[in-house]
Amino acid sequence: MSEHHGHGPLGAKVDYPAQYDASCLYPIPRAAGRAALGIAADLPFAGVDIWNAYELSWLNLNGKPMVACAEFRVPADSENIIESKSFKLYLNSFNQTRLGGIAELRAVLTKDLSAAAGAPVQVDIASPDDWGLSYGIQNPAGECLDSLDISPDSYQPNSMLLKASAGESVTEELFSHLLRSRCPVTSQPDWASVEIAYSGPRIDREGLLAYLISFREHDDFHEQCVEQIFSDINRFCQPNRLRVYARYLRRGGLDINPWRSNFVGDTAQNSRGSRQ
């Protein structure tokens, strides 16, 4: 398998494997991206990257195709992210692979993904009978920013747009469907809805929306974009508590949803949006 600019198969022409192949997985260390944001090894947040796979398939021992959906939770303190195209190639390598059932599939996925991430990855698999319960639609919590009448002119991340009122403290949840970033290798667009919950000085909503829009021509991985949003809001608005959760649209049957929070006891919910 050829590599491309240190990003594995991303942006390169590759052949889809005919049989199960764990070597498809291409880990990318988190350290370099975090160093650029000034994030030290002692992370300022708890976090997880929730991946949903909607096109998981394999053969049973009689050669009959089976289908399922899967949720993968990669902890934010893992050494690596997993490059998304390599993840898709890996999942597709099961299409003509015979397995004894969901339990065997889950065990293989857990072993391989944990090895690639450098930390335990949680794997949950839903059969067609459970799809409605596991993958139902849920609207974002809080107030939508998208109706604000603004005239943005920054399309690269501009943290100077962020400001907060020092004399007023609030607790609120806000969201926007206008987040777009781009793949750092192919420059293909990555679309997302982003939820921001915080407690502390009231954040200027027009500035926050303009800031989120400013990622529109920014090239970076989903996880890195969310950590930059978290870091910038934390630095320039100084909330007491902050959560940033981006729900990216799927590509190739796979979506990535980074969640970062310093709320005490906070837990990431896999709240699939209507665009996903």
Side-chain angles (χ1 to χ4, degrees):
M1 182 178 299
S2 62
E3 296 182 5
H4 186 84
H5 300 300
H7 293 137
L10 188 61
K13 184 178 180 179
V14 295
D15 294 325
Y16 275 79
Q19 289 287 328
Y20 161 70
D21 185 358
S23 71
C24 291
L25 292 169
Y26 189 87
I28 298 175
R30 297 184 189 267
R34 287 177 171 169
L37 296 175
I39 298 176
D42 186 12
L43 299 178
F45 46 66
V48 64
D49 302 324
I50 301 175
W51 299 63
N52 294 308
Y54 301 95
E55 300 175 5
L56 184 60
S57 185
W58 68 101
L59 303 179
N60 70 9
L61 296 180
N62 294 323
K64 179 182 177 181
M66 310 299 291
V67 294
C69 291
E71 174 191 294
F72 310 101
R73 290 182 175 243
V74 181
D77 60 0
S78 64
E79 180 181 358
N80 306 309
I81 64 173
I82 299 172
E83 189 277 310
S84 60
K85 186 173 181 180
S86 80
F87 205 146
K88 295 165 192 170
L89 290 169
Y90 167 70
L91 293 179
N92 273 281
S93 78
F94 287 91
N95 287 345
Q96 292 300 114
T97 300
R98 299 190 183 213
L99 295 168
I102 285 180
E104 182 180 353
L105 174 63
R106 183 186 296 109
V108 174
L109 291 168
T110 301
K111 174 179 66 70
D112 293 342
L113 295 171
S114 298
V121 173
Q122 179 182 328
V123 178
D124 291 309
I125 298 175
S127 66
D129 290 340
D130 297 326
W131 285 345
L133 296 175
S134 301
Y135 293 89
I137 302 298
Q138 181 176 335
N139 292 325
E143 298 180 59
C144 184
L145 300 173
D146 297 347
S147 63
L148 295 173
D149 187 13
I150 64 172
S151 300
D153 57 8
S154 293
Y155 301 108
Q156 288 289 345
N158 184 357
S159 58
M160 301 307 295
L161 294 166
L162 294 168
K163 57 185 177 180
S165 302
E168 184 181 6
S169 183
V170 299
T171 297
E172 62 180 0
E173 295 177 288
L174 307 170
F175 68 91
S176 173
H177 298 299
L178 304 186
L179 179 62
R180 190 196 90 148
S181 53
R182 301 191 308 192
C183 170
V185 177
T186 66
S187 291
Q188 290 183 316
D190 293 318
W191 306 92
S193 298
V194 59
E195 305 173 27
I196 296 169
Y198 73 96
S199 176
R202 182 183 292 277
I203 297 175
D204 177 77
R205 294 187 176 189
E206 287 79 6
L208 177 58
L209 180 59
Y211 167 75
L212 295 174
I213 290 171
S214 75
F215 279 77
R216 193 167 183 84
E217 294 186 340
H218 179 58
D219 297 336
D220 217 334
F221 294 111
H222 302 57
E223 300 91 338
Q224 185 75 2
C225 288
V226 170
E227 293 188 0
Q228 181 167 353
I229 293 169
F230 186 100
S231 298
D232 285 345
I233 294 175
N234 217 28
R235 178 183 176 189
F236 289 93
C237 300
Q238 298 186 331
N240 300 318
R241 294 288 181 268
L242 175 64
R243 179 198 310 128
V244 178
Y245 189 14
R247 303 286 306 185
Y248 277 89
L249 276 64
R250 73 180 81 168
R251 270 212 216 140
L254 202 60
D255 64 36
I256 312 170
N257 308 281
W259 178 94
R260 303 291 183 268
S261 174
N262 61 15
F263 276 86
V264 176
D266 211 4
T267 303
Q269 303 298 317
N270 190 6
S271 51
R272 180 184 170 207
S274 57
R275 302 168 73 199
Q276 295 179 297

